[in-house]
Amino acid sequence: MFIGREKELASLREFYEKDGIGMTVIYGRRRIGKSTLIAEFIRDKKAIFYTATKVGKNRNLELFSKQVIDVL
């Protein structure tokens, strides 16, 4: 169940509905629901959701690229 975060969802919706291709970064303290917010927003959309980890920039780029290829 997802409750609240209407302001954040509206902001994401506004960005998503703009023409062209875009990217947004969502950041904040740990365990405040960032991943849940994103998952809820992209539930019915064609989107790429990638969370970088401490594996190094080259490995993160490789993993992100794989997700892009999988979506496209």
Side-chain angles (χ1 to χ4, degrees), residues 1-16:
M1 179 187 293
F2 186 81
I3 299 172
R5 307 298 283 275
E6 285 83 12
K7 180 180 175 184
E8 292 90 343
L9 286 171
S11 182
L12 288 170
R13 192 176 312 109
E14 180 181 332
F15 180 79
Y16 184 82

Side-chain angles (χ1 to χ4, degrees), residues 58-70:
N58 290 335
R59 181 68 174 143
N60 273 307
L61 181 58
E62 179 184 324
L63 293 169
F64 175 70
S65 298
K66 182 182 178 333
Q67 279 197 282
V68 170
I69 290 167
D70 290 347

Side-chain angles (χ1 to χ4, degrees), residues 4-5 9 14 19-20 24 26 29-31 37 42 47-49 51-53 61-65 69-70:
R5 307 298 283 275
L9 286 171
E14 180 181 332
D19 289 336
T24 188
I26 298 173
R29 292 188 333 262
R30 294 181 62 211
R31 315 223 21 104
L37 172 68
I42 66 171
I48 299 165
F49 174 28
T51 301
T53 60
L61 181 58
E62 179 184 324
L63 293 169
F64 175 70
S65 298
I69 290 167
D70 290 347

Side-chain angles (χ1 to χ4, degrees), residues 23-51:
M23 181 181 96
T24 188
V25 175
I26 298 173
Y27 65 95
R29 292 188 333 262
R30 294 181 62 211
R31 315 223 21 104
I32 61 170
K34 296 178 300 291
S35 296
T36 302
L37 172 68
I38 296 165
E40 175 67 20
F41 179 72
I42 66 171
R43 186 168 22 121
D44 58 347
K45 297 170 179 63
K46 188 173 187 177
I48 299 165
F49 174 28
Y50 179 74
T51 301

